[in-house]
Amino acid sequence: MHVLAIDQGTSGTKAVVTDAAGRVLATAEEELRPVYLDGGGVEVDPHALLRSVLDAGRRAAAEAGVPLDAVALANQGETVLAWDRATGEPLGPAVVWQDRRAEAICAARAGAAPRVAELTGLVLDPYFSAPKMRWLREHRTADGVVTTTDTWLVHRLCGAFVTDASTASRSLLLDLDRVAWSGELLDLFGLGGEELPEIVPSDRIVGTTTAFGGEVPVTGLVVDQQAALLAEACLEPGTAKCTYGTGAFLLAQLGASAARSRQGLATSVAWRLRDTTAYCADGQVYTAASAVRWLADLGLIRGAGELDAVAAPDGGGVLCVPALAGLAAPWWSASATASLTGMTLSTGRGHLVRAVLEGVAAQVAALVALTGDDLGTPLTRLRVDGGLTRSRVLMQAQADLAQLPIEVYPSPHATALGAAACARLALDPGLSIVDATGGWRPAATFEPAWPPERAAEHLARWHAEAARAAA
């Protein structure tokens, strides 16, 4: 059983071919460059998205040299576009999940925020899909359909008009308990007349494609972060992972309970597999690798590979709140901006690099604490994946500030492997979810080196700066 799993992300698309045991046979990657605009806009060319999926997928399939049994697709979750269903052609750029231009749309509906949270498990914020969909209708086009990018990509691959339950749960349009579109929410955002895709489980075969060679089923549709949660075998309530990509995303398994957060986190569908819905709590750090790219654009480093070599042994008193695209939980401040404080004439680039990494780790540590409060018991460890886990400085800072062991997933392909697991479940009705994920051991474990008092003092100073940034 060979699966081509495609991880279509913000800054690139990765394609991975796996065998029946989940072993990686081949990989290919294509870079993407979103355009960051004045006023909080973030856009990407849909043609570039599709081209990256096709190019990466074909390269990985050719390298593997094996017949494919399925194609799986993990997606960004909240990125949206308008497109023509008859031709499949996009009607303008895709609006990326980081885009903040729909803030006024959310502000105009602020009185409905408690009801939105009750129905969706989410916070009324431009991060999610519906405000961006409304923004597109008001500022770009009334034509075609407006959907998340997964629906468009799947349509281009096989003609289906679908989205999976985990992606739908990130829209602000889903009744979380019924796992169905809500007419009340559609009307709230002025989207009542829109044609919406069918919501399907992640182990549903939705069509076939010849885009990567012979005709193969398309299945394994899932949000990227939930795919990583599955790959890292966070199957029991209270198990959690954090993915360090363009942003950093912490998800904790809730099981069959769609419990709403009391701490400003989001509650979403983790996946719908084997006719059962699992839920997760999640918190977001909007800028992680994008903050590292910002450092590179400023010339402080040449790339992420230089982080550990350049970072100073300590921050030298410098604190960074890397709110380069606003702050999510628990602040939910779209207007928050980044800050660097505590600099003197002795501050060097190494201190600034260290401060940015510690700022990302501090935001994740805040999410760890909030998750424990919601669960009623502290997290005991955190599984991690993503490109930035290669930075030992960042991972040690994470262990120190969260005061938790940090377990690094042994593969850089967690999201793709999670999507591949969903596809294997679609192909093999006798396979269990546990068996589909397989067993794994951490490639490295980082234990806290700071005493709790030092971590608490650092976080207290950092939270004071974050509060100022969010004000």
Short mmCIF file of all heavy atoms in Angstrom, two decimals, residues 359-404:
data_model
loop_
_atom_site.label_atom_id
_atom_site.label_comp_id
_atom_site.label_asym_id
_atom_site.label_seq_id
_atom_site.Cartn_x
_atom_site.Cartn_y
_atom_site.Cartn_z
N GLY A 359 11.03 34.30 22.67
CA GLY A 359 9.69 34.86 22.55
C GLY A 359 8.70 33.86 21.99
O GLY A 359 7.56 33.75 22.46
N VAL A 360 9.13 33.10 20.97
CA VAL A 360 8.27 32.03 20.44
C VAL A 360 8.01 30.99 21.53
O VAL A 360 6.86 30.56 21.74
CB VAL A 360 8.93 31.39 19.21
CG1 VAL A 360 8.16 30.14 18.77
CG2 VAL A 360 9.01 32.39 18.05
N ALA A 361 9.07 30.59 22.23
CA ALA A 361 8.93 29.57 23.29
C ALA A 361 8.03 30.07 24.41
O ALA A 361 7.27 29.29 24.99
CB ALA A 361 10.31 29.19 23.83
N ALA A 362 8.10 31.36 24.73
CA ALA A 362 7.25 31.91 25.79
C ALA A 362 5.78 31.85 25.40
O ALA A 362 4.92 31.54 26.24
CB ALA A 362 7.67 33.34 26.10
N GLN A 363 5.48 32.14 24.14
CA GLN A 363 4.08 32.06 23.69
C GLN A 363 3.58 30.62 23.77
O GLN A 363 2.45 30.37 24.21
CB GLN A 363 3.95 32.58 22.27
CG GLN A 363 3.96 34.09 22.16
CD GLN A 363 3.66 34.55 20.75
OE1 GLN A 363 4.57 34.85 19.98
NE2 GLN A 363 2.41 34.61 20.40
N VAL A 364 4.41 29.66 23.36
CA VAL A 364 4.00 28.26 23.45
C VAL A 364 3.84 27.85 24.92
O VAL A 364 2.90 27.13 25.28
CB VAL A 364 5.01 27.35 22.73
CG1 VAL A 364 4.67 25.87 22.97
CG2 VAL A 364 5.02 27.65 21.23
N ALA A 365 4.73 28.33 25.79
CA ALA A 365 4.61 28.02 27.22
C ALA A 365 3.30 28.55 27.78
O ALA A 365 2.67 27.91 28.62
CB ALA A 365 5.80 28.61 27.98
N ALA A 366 2.87 29.72 27.31
CA ALA A 366 1.58 30.26 27.74
C ALA A 366 0.45 29.32 27.32
O ALA A 366 -0.49 29.08 28.10
CB ALA A 366 1.37 31.65 27.15
N LEU A 367 0.53 28.78 26.11
CA LEU A 367 -0.49 27.85 25.64
C LEU A 367 -0.47 26.55 26.43
O LEU A 367 -1.53 25.97 26.71
CB LEU A 367 -0.29 27.56 24.15
CG LEU A 367 -0.42 28.75 23.21
CD1 LEU A 367 -0.11 28.33 21.78
CD2 LEU A 367 -1.82 29.37 23.29
N VAL A 368 0.72 26.09 26.81
CA VAL A 368 0.83 24.88 27.64
C VAL A 368 0.09 25.08 28.95
O VAL A 368 -0.68 24.22 29.40
CB VAL A 368 2.31 24.54 27.89
CG1 VAL A 368 2.45 23.51 29.01
CG2 VAL A 368 2.97 24.02 26.62
N ALA A 369 0.29 26.24 29.57
CA ALA A 369 -0.37 26.52 30.85
C ALA A 369 -1.89 26.61 30.68
O ALA A 369 -2.66 26.05 31.48
CB ALA A 369 0.18 27.82 31.43
N LEU A 370 -2.34 27.29 29.63
CA LEU A 370 -3.77 27.42 29.39
C LEU A 370 -4.42 26.07 29.12
O LEU A 370 -5.52 25.79 29.59
CB LEU A 370 -4.02 28.36 28.20
CG LEU A 370 -3.64 29.82 28.38
CD1 LEU A 370 -3.79 30.56 27.06
CD2 LEU A 370 -4.48 30.48 29.45
N THR A 371 -3.72 25.23 28.36
CA THR A 371 -4.25 23.89 28.05
C THR A 371 -4.41 23.08 29.32
O THR A 371 -5.43 22.40 29.53
CB THR A 371 -3.33 23.17 27.06
OG1 THR A 371 -3.22 23.95 25.87
CG2 THR A 371 -3.87 21.80 26.72
N GLY A 372 -3.42 23.13 30.19
CA GLY A 372 -3.51 22.42 31.46
C GLY A 372 -4.67 22.91 32.29
O GLY A 372 -5.40 22.12 32.92
N ASP A 373 -4.90 24.23 32.30
CA ASP A 373 -6.03 24.79 33.05
C ASP A 373 -7.35 24.28 32.49
O ASP A 373 -8.27 23.93 33.24
CB ASP A 373 -6.00 26.32 32.99
CG ASP A 373 -4.84 26.91 33.78
OD1 ASP A 373 -4.25 26.18 34.61
OD2 ASP A 373 -4.52 28.09 33.55
N ASP A 374 -7.46 24.23 31.16
CA ASP A 374 -8.70 23.74 30.54
C ASP A 374 -8.92 22.25 30.83
O ASP A 374 -10.05 21.82 31.08
CB ASP A 374 -8.64 23.95 29.03
CG ASP A 374 -9.32 25.26 28.60
OD1 ASP A 374 -10.03 25.85 29.43
OD2 ASP A 374 -9.13 25.67 27.46
N LEU A 375 -7.84 21.48 30.77
CA LEU A 375 -7.96 20.04 30.98
C LEU A 375 -8.18 19.70 32.45
O LEU A 375 -8.62 18.59 32.78
CB LEU A 375 -6.70 19.32 30.48
CG LEU A 375 -6.47 19.33 28.97
CD1 LEU A 375 -5.10 18.78 28.63
CD2 LEU A 375 -7.55 18.51 28.25
N GLY A 376 -7.84 20.62 33.34
CA GLY A 376 -7.95 20.36 34.77
C GLY A 376 -6.77 19.63 35.34
O GLY A 376 -6.74 19.29 36.53
N THR A 377 -5.76 19.41 34.52
CA THR A 377 -4.52 18.76 34.97
C THR A 377 -3.38 19.22 34.07
O THR A 377 -3.58 19.34 32.85
CB THR A 377 -4.63 17.22 34.94
OG1 THR A 377 -3.43 16.63 35.42
CG2 THR A 377 -4.91 16.71 33.54
N PRO A 378 -2.22 19.52 34.61
CA PRO A 378 -1.13 20.03 33.76
C PRO A 378 -0.68 18.99 32.74
O PRO A 378 -0.74 17.78 32.98
CB PRO A 378 -0.01 20.33 34.77
CG PRO A 378 -0.68 20.39 36.10
CD PRO A 378 -1.84 19.45 36.03
N LEU A 379 -0.22 19.48 31.58
CA LEU A 379 0.44 18.58 30.64
C LEU A 379 1.71 18.04 31.27
O LEU A 379 2.39 18.75 32.02
CB LEU A 379 0.79 19.34 29.35
CG LEU A 379 -0.38 19.90 28.52
CD1 LEU A 379 0.16 20.57 27.26
CD2 LEU A 379 -1.38 18.82 28.16
N THR A 380 2.02 16.79 30.99
CA THR A 380 3.22 16.17 31.57
C THR A 380 4.38 16.14 30.60
O THR A 380 5.53 15.95 31.02
CB THR A 380 2.91 14.74 32.04
OG1 THR A 380 2.44 13.97 30.92
CG2 THR A 380 1.84 14.76 33.12
N ARG A 381 4.11 16.30 29.31
CA ARG A 381 5.15 16.34 28.30
C ARG A 381 4.54 16.94 27.04
O ARG A 381 3.32 16.99 26.89
CB ARG A 381 5.76 14.97 28.02
CG ARG A 381 4.80 13.90 27.54
CD ARG A 381 5.45 12.52 27.59
NE ARG A 381 5.90 12.21 28.94
CZ ARG A 381 7.19 12.13 29.29
NH1 ARG A 381 8.15 12.32 28.39
NH2 ARG A 381 7.53 11.87 30.53
N LEU A 382 5.40 17.35 26.13
CA LEU A 382 4.93 17.95 24.88
C LEU A 382 5.68 17.33 23.72
O LEU A 382 6.92 17.36 23.70
CB LEU A 382 5.14 19.46 24.90
CG LEU A 382 4.63 20.25 23.69
CD1 LEU A 382 3.10 20.14 23.59
CD2 LEU A 382 5.05 21.72 23.78
N ARG A 383 4.96 16.75 22.79
CA ARG A 383 5.56 16.21 21.57
C ARG A 383 5.65 17.35 20.55
O ARG A 383 4.73 18.17 20.45
CB ARG A 383 4.72 15.05 21.04
CG ARG A 383 4.67 13.89 22.01
CD ARG A 383 3.64 12.84 21.67
NE ARG A 383 3.66 11.77 22.66
CZ ARG A 383 2.79 10.77 22.71
NH1 ARG A 383 1.82 10.69 21.80
NH2 ARG A 383 2.88 9.85 23.65
N VAL A 384 6.73 17.39 19.80
CA VAL A 384 6.94 18.51 18.89
C VAL A 384 7.41 18.02 17.52
O VAL A 384 8.05 16.96 17.41
CB VAL A 384 7.96 19.53 19.46
CG1 VAL A 384 7.46 20.12 20.77
CG2 VAL A 384 9.34 18.89 19.66
N ASP A 385 7.10 18.81 16.50
CA ASP A 385 7.56 18.51 15.15
C ASP A 385 7.68 19.82 14.40
O ASP A 385 7.35 20.89 14.92
CB ASP A 385 6.58 17.57 14.44
CG ASP A 385 5.25 18.26 14.13
OD1 ASP A 385 4.41 18.39 15.05
OD2 ASP A 385 5.06 18.68 12.98
N GLY A 386 8.15 19.74 13.17
CA GLY A 386 8.31 20.94 12.34
C GLY A 386 9.76 21.32 12.19
O GLY A 386 10.64 20.91 12.95
N GLY A 387 10.03 22.16 11.18
CA GLY A 387 11.40 22.50 10.81
C GLY A 387 12.20 23.13 11.94
O GLY A 387 13.40 22.87 12.07
N LEU A 388 11.56 23.96 12.78
CA LEU A 388 12.31 24.66 13.82
C LEU A 388 12.73 23.74 14.97
O LEU A 388 13.51 24.16 15.83
CB LEU A 388 11.51 25.84 14.36
CG LEU A 388 11.38 27.05 13.44
CD1 LEU A 388 10.65 28.18 14.16
CD2 LEU A 388 12.74 27.52 12.94
N THR A 389 12.22 22.50 15.00
CA THR A 389 12.68 21.58 16.04
C THR A 389 14.15 21.20 15.84
O THR A 389 14.76 20.61 16.73
CB THR A 389 11.82 20.31 16.10
OG1 THR A 389 11.91 19.61 14.84
CG2 THR A 389 10.37 20.65 16.39
N ARG A 390 14.71 21.55 14.68
CA ARG A 390 16.14 21.31 14.48
C ARG A 390 17.00 22.28 15.29
O ARG A 390 18.20 22.04 15.44
CB ARG A 390 16.49 21.41 12.99
CG ARG A 390 15.92 20.28 12.14
CD ARG A 390 16.51 20.27 10.75
NE ARG A 390 16.05 21.38 9.94
CZ ARG A 390 14.99 21.31 9.13
NH1 ARG A 390 14.28 20.20 9.04
NH2 ARG A 390 14.63 22.36 8.41
N SER A 391 16.40 23.34 15.80
CA SER A 391 17.14 24.29 16.63
C SER A 391 17.16 23.79 18.07
O SER A 391 16.15 23.83 18.77
CB SER A 391 16.50 25.68 16.58
OG SER A 391 17.06 26.52 17.57
N ARG A 392 18.32 23.34 18.51
CA ARG A 392 18.45 22.88 19.89
C ARG A 392 18.25 24.05 20.86
O ARG A 392 17.75 23.85 21.98
CB ARG A 392 19.81 22.22 20.10
CG ARG A 392 20.04 20.98 19.25
CD ARG A 392 21.38 20.30 19.57
NE ARG A 392 21.39 19.79 20.92
CZ ARG A 392 20.91 18.61 21.29
NH1 ARG A 392 20.34 17.81 20.38
NH2 ARG A 392 20.98 18.22 22.54
N VAL A 393 18.64 25.24 20.45
CA VAL A 393 18.44 26.41 21.30
C VAL A 393 16.95 26.63 21.56
O VAL A 393 16.52 26.84 22.70
CB VAL A 393 19.08 27.66 20.67
CG1 VAL A 393 18.68 28.93 21.43
CG2 VAL A 393 20.60 27.53 20.65
N LEU A 394 16.14 26.57 20.51
CA LEU A 394 14.71 26.77 20.67
C LEU A 394 14.10 25.66 21.50
O LEU A 394 13.28 25.92 22.40
CB LEU A 394 14.03 26.85 19.31
CG LEU A 394 12.50 26.94 19.33
CD1 LEU A 394 12.02 28.15 20.12
CD2 LEU A 394 11.94 26.96 17.91
N MET A 395 14.47 24.42 21.23
CA MET A 395 13.87 23.31 21.97
C MET A 395 14.25 23.35 23.45
O MET A 395 13.41 23.05 24.32
CB MET A 395 14.30 21.98 21.34
CG MET A 395 13.73 21.73 19.95
SD MET A 395 11.91 21.66 19.89
CE MET A 395 11.49 23.34 19.40
N GLN A 396 15.49 23.72 23.75
CA GLN A 396 15.87 23.82 25.16
C GLN A 396 15.14 24.98 25.83
O GLN A 396 14.69 24.87 26.98
CB GLN A 396 17.38 24.00 25.31
CG GLN A 396 17.87 23.94 26.76
CD GLN A 396 17.53 22.62 27.42
OE1 GLN A 396 17.89 21.55 26.93
NE2 GLN A 396 16.80 22.68 28.54
N ALA A 397 15.01 26.10 25.11
CA ALA A 397 14.24 27.22 25.65
C ALA A 397 12.80 26.80 25.91
O ALA A 397 12.19 27.22 26.91
CB ALA A 397 14.30 28.41 24.70
N GLN A 398 12.25 25.97 25.01
CA GLN A 398 10.88 25.51 25.22
C GLN A 398 10.75 24.66 26.46
O GLN A 398 9.80 24.81 27.25
CB GLN A 398 10.41 24.73 23.99
CG GLN A 398 8.91 24.50 23.97
CD GLN A 398 8.17 25.81 23.89
OE1 GLN A 398 8.04 26.39 22.83
NE2 GLN A 398 7.68 26.31 25.02
N ALA A 399 11.69 23.75 26.66
CA ALA A 399 11.67 22.91 27.86
C ALA A 399 11.82 23.78 29.11
O ALA A 399 11.13 23.57 30.12
CB ALA A 399 12.77 21.86 27.79
N ASP A 400 12.73 24.75 29.06
CA ASP A 400 12.98 25.59 30.23
C ASP A 400 11.76 26.43 30.59
O ASP A 400 11.40 26.54 31.77
CB ASP A 400 14.18 26.51 29.96
CG ASP A 400 15.49 25.76 29.89
OD1 ASP A 400 15.56 24.64 30.42
OD2 ASP A 400 16.44 26.29 29.28
N LEU A 401 11.13 27.05 29.59
CA LEU A 401 10.03 27.96 29.88
C LEU A 401 8.73 27.23 30.17
O LEU A 401 7.94 27.68 31.00
CB LEU A 401 9.85 28.94 28.72
CG LEU A 401 10.98 29.96 28.58
CD1 LEU A 401 10.83 30.78 27.31
CD2 LEU A 401 11.02 30.89 29.78
N ALA A 402 8.47 26.13 29.48
CA ALA A 402 7.25 25.35 29.75
C ALA A 402 7.41 24.42 30.94
O ALA A 402 6.42 23.90 31.46
CB ALA A 402 6.86 24.55 28.52
N GLN A 403 8.68 24.20 31.36
CA GLN A 403 8.97 23.28 32.48
C GLN A 403 8.39 21.90 32.22
O GLN A 403 7.77 21.27 33.08
CB GLN A 403 8.44 23.87 33.79
CG GLN A 403 9.20 25.09 34.28
CD GLN A 403 10.60 24.73 34.79
OE1 GLN A 403 10.75 24.06 35.84
NE2 GLN A 403 11.62 25.17 34.06
N LEU A 404 8.64 21.44 30.99
CA LEU A 404 8.16 20.14 30.53
C LEU A 404 9.24 19.44 29.72
O LEU A 404 10.02 20.10 29.04
CB LEU A 404 6.96 20.29 29.60
CG LEU A 404 5.57 20.60 30.13
CD1 LEU A 404 4.64 20.77 28.96
CD2 LEU A 404 5.09 19.48 31.03
#
